[in-house]
Amino acid sequence: MEKQRAQWGSKLGFILAAAGSAVGLGNIWKFPGKAFEGGGGAFLLLYLIIVPLIGMPAMLSELTIGRASQSNVVDAFGKLGHKKYTWVGWLSWLVAFLITCYYSHVGGWVLRYAVSYATQSRAVYADPLGYFYALLGFDPVSGATWLPVTALAFAAVFLAICAFIIIQGVQGGIEKFNKIGMPALFVMLLILLVRSVTLPGGMEGVRYMLSLDFSKLSFHTLLTALSQAFYSLSLGMAIMVTYGSYLPETEDMPKNTLLICVMDTLVAVIAGFIVVPAVFATLGPDGVGKGGGFAFVSLAGVFERMPGGVLFGMMFYLLLLFAALTSTISLIEGIVAFLTERLNWSRTPTTIGLCAVLFLIGCLYTCSQAAFPLHGVWFDFANGVTFPGFGDAMEFLTDRVMIPIAALGTCIFVGWSWTPEKAAEEIHRGGVRFGLLKLYSFLVRFVLPAAIAVIFAVSLFTGTTLS
Ligand code: PFF
């Protein structure tokens, strides 16, 4: 007899869990820097157009595939009668696997910093770059390197927390954690927002974020915004298919999609209004950056100059920690769902074993940052064959190649094989009304594939990561 599939306990639980997946490091440390580079308000406006036109139809498609197939991502396409798309499922599954290897380690570094601000903020302030490098096993002064034990230990703790929550199940673990974690995240976000905009000079940053300077917008900005939307909404990575498969028939998926996208975008925009004004007020506009280096190194200067900086610094990393936890949990669930359903493995040992493997592969990622000269191989048309750090190569592979192909495969599947009409049948089940079928169909068939193909081509030809 087939095992009963897990289901969400409540609508709110599902929405918070899906929003928890979407709201991640990308929202908090990538979006503000991109918005700054893209001219502030002009970028925000562009992003607010892209999310409903590109992000929402893509998310609705993934949720619908999940609910219609009632299956993990690898088997979903076959269950809908299109076995030849199973490769898309495998690819999405593999992306989730690879991303989790490093996302979880970065989550460990975030955890380390939350603790660092609580216990040794002076050491962080005294030499932000040195502190970060030391965590990664490198002394830039003497050139000495060592096994980054602290970073690895924190990554292990981070993964253990994720495993613990996942083992409790979809309702008892993931849903419950998100029901506490997401409101906590919003509260921290609002406190940090108030702190940031009330700093002397903070209003300059607010003004910048509201200014409509379209001269900074370019084709490249458009592509960056597009990839940001995909990454931020957790698309192309098995997650929304898996989370959709735990939805009951009566759920209104278009409405849920709207809510999840609104929450994700709201968090990104608020993060923009936290980070940019805070940096304007302390380091000046030139200090705004993005990514890990910015979050771990530059921001120390911001918190040091801010009244109550230690407390707000701690809260900021705690915010990042919650964002990273809820996202990592969704990724691991996507991987576990397949292993337990297809191979009939039981949930607890599968989760523990998987987390151990993720941890070990992730060790190579962490070690390749500064401690050891571990390299990968890469090819793009701009630079030919190169040998970037192992960690960078891993990120290039997922962000530049695998996510776009998986996302492209998914929308071609819905647009041209399964058809938007079949998707609509699923959406309508339980009496749900969906008046935008024509628009949805047009977007999924033409606009999405074109947009994703361009992102893919540009990253391959120019050798840049857009997300
Ligand atoms: N959406 C997350 C972020 O913005 O950081 C990252 C992510 C999480 C991507 C989970 C994909 C995923 F499945």
Side-chain angles (χ1 to χ4, degrees):
M1 203 186 79
E2 209 166 304
K3 266 192 278 175
Q4 180 84 24
R5 267 185 78 75
Q7 269 204 354
W8 301 108
S10 66
K11 185 197 192 76
L12 180 72
F14 158 68
I15 291 172
L16 289 179
S21 168
V23 172
L25 299 173
N27 299 59
I28 299 168
W29 79 31
K30 272 193 200 156
F31 186 87
K34 282 191 180 186
F36 173 78
E37 281 168 12
F43 183 93
L44 293 187
L45 201 63
L46 178 68
Y47 193 76
L48 293 180
I49 296 171
I50 286 176
V51 168
L53 284 184
I54 308 281
M56 284 194 205
M59 181 176 293
L60 180 60
S61 302
E62 291 200 11
L63 289 175
T64 309
I65 293 174
R67 200 185 65 183
S69 64
Q70 288 291 301
S71 156
N72 65 77
V73 73
V74 178
D75 296 322
F77 298 87
K79 286 235 167 99
L80 296 176
H82 297 263
K83 259 216 151 77
K84 68 174 198 290
Y85 279 88
T86 300
W87 66 269
V88 179
W90 274 114
L91 190 63
S92 312
W93 186 86
L94 203 61
V95 184
F97 183 92
L98 289 177
I99 292 205
T100 319
C101 294
Y102 56 81
Y103 206 88
S104 59
H105 273 250
V106 178
W109 309 349
V110 169
L111 177 60
R112 190 344 163 211
Y113 267 73
V115 175
S116 299
Y117 270 78
T119 58
Q120 43 180 247
S121 55
R122 267 187 209 177
V124 184
Y125 289 166
D127 179 10
L129 186 65
Y131 191 88
F132 185 47
Y133 269 135
L135 177 65
L136 298 174
F138 175 61
D139 178 356
V141 179
S142 68
T145 58
W146 59 89
L147 188 71
V149 183
T150 312
L152 300 183
F154 274 94
V157 174
F158 182 88
L159 269 165
I161 299 172
C162 295
F164 176 76
I165 294 165
I166 289 168
I167 288 170
Q168 318 294 315
V170 173
Q171 263 188 44
I174 301 179
E175 187 168 338
K176 219 170 173 181
F177 179 71
N178 277 284
K179 272 186 169 165
I180 303 165
M182 288 307 284
L185 185 140
F186 269 100
V187 171
M188 289 190 275
L189 209 60
L190 292 180
I191 295 175
L192 287 164
L193 177 67
V194 172
R195 166 69 290 183
S196 184
V197 299
T198 54
L199 285 171
M203 270 303 155
E204 278 302 303
V206 174
R207 236 168 269 133
Y208 182 83
M209 290 296 278
L210 292 174
S211 69
L212 291 177
D213 175 7
F214 289 104
S215 70
K216 294 228 175 81
L217 285 189
S218 61
F219 185 57
H220 186 261
T221 324
L222 172 71
L223 294 179
T224 329
L226 269 170
S227 333
Q228 173 71 19
F230 265 90
Y231 187 81
S232 188
L233 294 171
S234 300
L235 298 169
M237 286 176 244
I239 310 310
M240 292 302 162
V241 173
T242 311
Y243 273 17
S245 76
Y246 301 143
L247 273 176
E249 263 179 27
T250 45
E251 271 307 323
D252 185 336
M253 289 189 289
K255 201 158 110 203
N256 289 340
T257 301
L258 177 72
L259 284 171
I260 298 162
C261 291
V262 167
M263 277 165 98
D264 183 65
T265 306
L266 198 64
V267 173
V269 172
I270 296 178
F273 280 94
I274 292 172
V275 171
V276 174
V279 178
F280 266 58
T282 49
L283 307 175
D286 291 342
V288 182
K290 59 176 189 270
F294 172 70
F296 292 118
V297 181
S298 319
L299 282 182
V302 172
F303 293 123
E304 190 182 10
R305 289 170 182 75
M306 177 190 280
V310 171
L311 190 69
F312 291 109
M314 220 168 76
M315 194 178 284
F316 179 81
Y317 290 102
L318 219 54
L319 172 77
L320 274 178
L321 179 67
F322 273 72
L325 274 174
T326 49
S327 295
T328 313
I329 287 168
S330 74
L331 284 158
I332 300 178
E333 175 62 27
I335 310 169
V336 166
F338 165 70
L339 296 173
T340 51
E341 282 172 26
R342 170 71 82 85
L343 307 174
N344 239 333
W345 293 355
S346 52
R347 192 170 174 92
T348 303
T350 304
T351 307
I352 295 173
L354 172 70
C355 287
V357 174
L358 294 168
F359 171 74
L360 289 176
I361 301 177
C363 286
L364 298 177
Y365 175 84
T366 294
C367 289
S368 75
Q369 298 299 318
F372 299 111
L374 298 169
H375 290 277
V377 193
W378 190 250
F379 173 81
D380 60 64
F381 289 101
N383 308 301
V385 176
T386 46
F387 299 93
F390 178 81
D392 288 346
M394 241 173 129
E395 290 185 44
F396 293 170
L397 184 64
T398 52
D399 295 1
R400 295 182 188 177
V401 179
M402 295 172 76
I403 297 176
I405 296 182
L408 191 62
T410 307
C411 66
I412 289 180
F413 167 73
V414 175
W416 298 96
S417 285
W418 193 39
T419 71
E421 288 69 31
K422 274 268 166 50
E425 265 174 37
E426 179 62 34
I427 293 168
H428 288 145
R429 275 223 257 164
V432 172
R433 292 178 42 170
F434 180 48
L436 298 172
L437 177 60
K438 283 226 170 79
L439 177 65
Y440 168 70
S441 173
F442 174 72
L443 293 171
V444 171
R445 289 185 154 193
F446 301 104
V447 181
L448 260 79
I452 302 168
V454 173
I455 294 178
F456 181 44
V458 169
S459 34
L460 209 61
F461 281 98
T462 63
T464 41
T465 301
L466 296 159
S467 67

